[in-house]
Amino acid sequence: MLPARVPSADDASSDQDNRIAVRRGGSKVGTEKSDTLIHDVPAGWARRAHADAAKYSSMYASSVSTPDAFWAEHGKRIDWIKPFTKVKNTSFAPGKVSIKWFEDGTTNVAMNCIDRHLARRAGQVAIIWEGDDPAESRHITYAELHDQVCRFANVLKSHGVKKGDTVTIYLPMIPEAAYAMLACAQIGAVHSIVFGGFSPDALAGRIEGCQSKVLVTADEGLRGGRKVPLKVNADDALKKVAGIVKTMIVVKRTGGGIDWVDGRDVWYADEVAKASADCAPVEMNAEDPLFLLYTSGSTGAPKGVVHSTGGYLVFASMTHQYLFDYHDGDIYWCTADVGWVTGHSYIVYGPLANGATTLMFEGIPNYPSTSRFWQVVDKHKVNIFYTAPTAIRSLMGAGEEPVKQTSRASLRLLGSVGEPINPEAWDWYHRVVGDGRCPIVDTWWQTETGGILISPLPGATALKPGSATLPFFGVMPEVVDASGAVLTGACEGNLVIADSWPGQMRTVYGDHERFMQTYFATYPGKYFTGDGCRRDADGYYWITGRVDDVINVSGHRMGTAEVESALVAHQKVSEAAVVGFPHDIKGQGIYAYVTLMSDAEPSGELRKELVAWVRKEIGPIAAPDVIQFAPGLPKTRSGKIMRRILRKIAEDEVGALGDTSTLADPAVVDDLIKNRHSQK
Ligand code: WTA
């Protein structure tokens, strides 16, 4: 059980005690500025948080020197049906990658997120739901969550869903999304959530990939006052992959007009009303999959990242407790969408396993106004707030006034995730949103890692704006150069993780070979993150962004290959190459070089048509910001596109193109430079 946050003498002096001292310092490495500000841990935080600096150091040391003993102890933070006797059994060896944690234990995730809390917390609010419309909100207690999840679990069973089957969920941010996830967990079904912003094509591909018999969706979503046609998209998707989905379960969210396929479509509410509220959690092995989640990589179609039951939950709940300094009674809000991994680990599974009150928000940061986030904080007295740098940057643009109109007195801690946070945004978040009194935990992790790997511990780690700081317990980051040599001390290179942690993905759905190739072949024996990274003389990690062909648009991962294949599917396009470029709000924007078929003419119209085409093929998040028509692309003599050059041109760094002598036709580059869309 979590230690409660007991009011103490510290609280009386908390203003004094919690003031964050700032000093200049830090070590200069690479591009790091020598005037980095360091925010020391205030005394009050060091006393009250789950770990101070000394405790972090000793726990970290034992977590990496004796992982079996460390995780045997912390594995007990969840309830087991049959306790594990084995802890870590993992290998990153080339061709033999195998990851197992707590492998002989059995448990159930829904049991841990709901049932085990009922004795103490039946009446406690589990989920605060805040609608898109500020007039709409709901409080769902653990007892009600239990009732809803059991009923929906029985609905799934009545439609033939069994342990090990996949269920695709394509829902907006409504409580039913959490019910559906937990109902799957309860009966041992594996959910695959598809973000509501994805297109019918993207949904179809993901349904086909995991062969779900059941799809759970809504008539329409509601975001920023606008309707999202989920059922229309789902109908379209099922036309593309006929015969797989037998049942579509539809939540009525807006009541908008939709088509109906008798015999296939059923209303969520009707089904739940008929179902029994009694359903026992199914006993699952620790290594049974809990969910899969499709994510973009540098090549090919998105892959299904598979997460486990036991190790995943231990890791998600422990990181949630320690890194967000979660204590009983806190109101916690993560603004992510459940369609992304952040929503899985830090809206639903981590917080609920800890018996937390987790806030789920249907809307967007600037509707009805740019004060919305802070109004929601005041309305529900949010203590812990976790969002993405892109949201901060876009709100910064509206100035301080919309923030200052609100109190935010309840806030104690702020979190950031999804992309590097630039020091200016960090400072604004800290000074304006947090009134200078809330530590910021800049949490680095990935869909593949299941939970946060590098982040400050708020009572232990002095903060440097822009740095994700230090590894969590059990995490062994290393910085390597291109040849794989491990760099020591202050350095810059690629980020790898030397050994396994319990929340790590186990495989790519249906393709273990691809798992090994993607993550363990670049630097044999190590997990390659795909990120570049700098480490300073204090051992702090500074993530510099992706070093592969993945771009990060507003914290959303996008494979350049996916956007390229959408573009070349257009009949007027013969070839396309896509790269990222720095974007003030989105972090990275999408820059597409497009070569047309010989009978097609470049035009503004066609440019618009191609942007709309990509939106339709993948979804709005993939829409290119820039399309440059290119008569030719820079290629090596063997026909490989030289993306390095395309990146430089997109970044407007045309003076630094490097060696172009290996190009088959160097003249191509002159045209690209002349016709570039300057971002400056
Ligand atoms: C990036 C999101 C810098 C990184 C949880 C990573 C970050 C990718 C941070 C994973 C951060 C995430 N600082 N970069 N705090 N957090 N990233 O799978 O490039 O959607 O590889 O997981 O986002 O994105 P994903």
Side-chain angles (χ1 to χ4, degrees):
M1 206 43 75
L2 298 177
R5 215 169 76 86
V6 192
S8 69
D10 287 349
D11 285 339
S13 60
S14 63
D15 265 5
Q16 184 62 28
D17 249 14
N18 286 332
R19 224 174 30 218
I20 299 180
V22 183
R23 61 192 156 96
R24 276 179 200 285
S27 33
K28 190 167 155 50
V29 191
T31 54
E32 185 187 344
K33 295 187 197 120
S34 55
D35 62 348
T36 297
L37 297 177
I38 301 180
H39 298 250
D40 282 327
V41 176
W45 268 92
R47 272 199 295 279
R48 276 204 309 269
H50 295 297
D52 62 9
K55 188 169 173 200
Y56 166 69
S57 299
S58 70
M59 280 177 77
Y60 182 76
S62 65
S63 74
V64 294
S65 61
T66 51
D68 275 290
F70 182 88
W71 290 110
E73 181 191 339
H74 293 284
K76 291 190 205 126
R77 60 179 296 117
I78 67 168
D79 286 358
W80 296 85
I81 297 170
K82 177 169 156 287
F84 56 86
T85 64
K86 298 182 185 152
V87 181
K88 180 174 187 287
N89 179 6
T90 66
S91 166
F92 288 0
K96 299 197 194 83
V97 178
S98 161
I99 297 154
K100 291 184 179 147
W101 286 88
F102 313 114
E103 63 186 294
D104 61 348
T106 66
T107 183
N108 181 286
V109 166
M111 171 189 94
N112 273 289
C113 289
I114 310 171
D115 302 57
R116 70 160 169 165
H117 302 313
L118 291 176
R120 265 190 61 203
R121 303 180 192 274
Q124 182 198 310
V125 174
I127 299 176
I128 299 176
W129 177 75
E130 169 76 13
D132 187 54
D133 177 344
E136 268 194 288
S137 54
R138 284 172 53 194
H139 290 76
I140 297 141
T141 62
Y142 273 94
E144 195 180 343
L145 182 64
H146 183 246
D147 180 85
Q148 293 287 342
V149 168
C150 288
R151 284 177 193 275
F152 194 61
N154 282 324
V155 171
L156 290 174
K157 283 200 275 190
S158 74
H159 289 281
V161 178
K162 295 185 300 295
K163 178 174 172 174
D165 288 350
T166 63
V167 172
T168 298
I169 299 175
Y170 184 61
L171 281 174
M173 286 289 287
I174 53 178
E176 286 80 359
Y179 304 159
M181 292 165 80
L182 290 158
C184 288
Q186 193 166 36
I187 61 171
V190 181
H191 59 71
S192 164
I193 306 191
V194 179
F195 173 56
F198 276 128
S199 68
D201 266 352
L203 174 61
R206 287 156 173 78
I207 289 171
E208 192 171 34
C210 67
Q211 297 284 313
S212 300
K213 284 187 297 226
V214 171
L215 171 65
V216 188
T217 190
D219 52 358
E220 293 173 312
L222 208 51
R223 290 187 83 232
R226 291 222 292 264
K227 292 175 173 174
V228 185
L230 294 173
K231 173 71 161 72
V232 170
N233 289 349
D235 287 342
D236 273 5
L238 295 198
K239 281 185 199 129
K240 293 170 203 277
V241 285
I244 300 174
V245 169
K246 305 285 186 279
T247 310
M248 188 179 337
I249 305 176
V250 187
V251 181
K252 188 181 275 185
R253 171 65 190 107
T254 64
I258 49 172
D259 291 339
W260 201 254
V261 176
D262 283 327
R264 183 195 71 184
D265 301 350
V266 294
W267 285 112
Y268 183 100
D270 293 352
E271 296 289 302
V272 162
K274 284 189 292 202
S276 147
D278 239 353
C279 182
V282 170
E283 182 170 0
M284 304 296 289
N285 182 271
E287 281 301 316
D288 283 335
L290 173 64
F291 66 85
L292 59 107
L293 182 57
Y294 283 89
T295 194
S296 299
S298 33
T299 54
K303 44 190 174 301
V305 165
V306 177
H307 278 293
S308 69
T309 293
Y312 170 81
L313 196 65
V314 166
F315 198 72
S317 67
M318 187 168 176
T319 46
H320 173 261
Q321 180 195 344
Y322 277 79
L323 298 174
F324 297 109
D325 189 52
Y326 180 78
H327 295 262
D328 255 4
D330 282 341
I331 309 288
Y332 163 87
W333 179 17
C334 165
T335 70
D337 190 287
V338 290
W340 309 110
V341 74
T342 310
H344 287 65
S345 300
Y346 298 113
I347 295 178
V348 178
Y349 290 121
L352 294 179
N354 289 338
T357 298
T358 181
L359 194 148
M360 189 175 188
F361 178 44
E362 187 183 34
I364 57 174
N366 55 1
Y367 176 83
S369 80
T370 46
S371 292
R372 184 68 191 278
F373 269 0
W374 326 122
Q375 288 163 348
V376 174
V377 165
D378 286 352
K379 177 174 173 186
H380 298 293
K381 302 282 177 288
V382 171
N383 306 112
I384 303 164
F385 177 77
Y386 188 32
T387 196
T390 189
I392 298 300
R393 285 193 299 267
S394 72
L395 294 173
M396 263 170 89
E400 296 185 12
E401 194 40 40
V403 189
K404 295 296 175 196
Q405 287 165 5
T406 62
S407 147
R408 291 156 286 107
S410 57
L411 285 178
R412 195 172 84 244
L413 180 132
L414 303 172
S416 172
V417 62
E419 49 175 321
I421 180 164
N422 48 311
E424 298 72 27
W426 195 102
D427 177 66
W428 192 84
Y429 197 21
H430 184 254
R431 185 174 50 77
V432 181
V433 175
D435 283 326
R437 80 192 131 75
C438 305
I440 294 182
V441 290
D442 175 1
T443 64
W444 174 85
W445 60 297
Q446 311 178 297
T447 306
E448 293 87 339
T449 68
I452 297 162
L453 296 197
I454 301 182
S455 165
L457 261 173
T461 318
L463 309 172
K464 296 186 192 180
S467 172
T469 78
L470 299 171
F472 188 69
F473 307 127
V475 176
M476 299 172 70
E478 284 179 354
V479 182
V480 296
D481 68 13
S483 73
V486 177
L487 305 175
T488 54
C491 57
E492 183 158 1
N494 289 343
L495 181 65
V496 300
I497 313 289
D499 202 354
S500 184
W501 62 97
Q504 182 171 25
M505 74 182 282
R506 299 305 196 251
T507 192
V508 168
Y509 188 76
D511 197 348
H512 198 66
E513 189 55 39
R514 187 169 175 204
F515 174 59
M516 295 195 282
Q517 273 304 319
T518 308
Y519 302 104
F520 301 92
T522 317
Y523 300 108
K526 291 177 177 160
Y527 169 80
F528 178 39
T529 63
D531 278 327
C533 171
R534 194 167 70 224
R535 187 173 52 214
D536 70 20
D538 296 326
Y540 276 39
Y541 291 85
W542 302 72
I543 309 297
T544 51
R546 301 289 302 200
V547 294
D548 54 7
D549 288 320
V550 170
I551 43 188
N552 193 327
V553 184
S554 302
H556 300 321
R557 254 168 89 159
M558 191 49 55
T560 52
E562 282 167 74
V563 185
E564 287 163 5
S565 68
L567 282 165
V568 296
H570 189 281
Q571 56 168 1
K572 291 187 179 154
V573 175
S574 105
E575 211 172 8
V578 168
V579 296
F581 69 94
H583 187 287
D584 282 350
I585 306 280
K586 301 179 182 181
Q588 279 190 299
I590 301 179
Y591 196 117
Y593 298 87
V594 171
T595 307
L596 296 176
M597 295 291 189
S598 52
D599 57 353
E601 281 298 316
S603 69
E605 276 308 295
L606 182 54
R607 191 174 278 129
K608 280 195 207 126
E609 187 180 322
L610 292 176
V611 172
W613 172 264
V614 177
R615 286 176 76 93
K616 185 177 86 47
E617 290 279 302
I618 305 177
I621 55 170
D625 298 274
V626 179
I627 289 189
Q628 175 173 352
F629 292 115
L633 295 172
K635 290 184 187 160
T636 60
R637 289 188 191 93
S638 59
K640 211 167 166 287
I641 294 177
M642 289 188 75
R643 292 170 177 283
R644 176 175 56 80
I645 293 177
L646 295 177
R647 260 185 233 119
K648 291 282 181 206
I649 296 173
E651 288 164 8
D652 233 359
E653 303 281 341
V654 292
L657 290 185
D659 184 12
T660 54
S661 62
T662 54
L663 284 177
D665 177 8
V668 164
V669 174
D670 300 334
D671 177 86
L672 292 178
I673 292 175
K674 195 166 88 221
N675 294 308
R676 76 185 185 277
H677 293 237
S678 179
Q679 308 300 316
K680 284 183 179 155

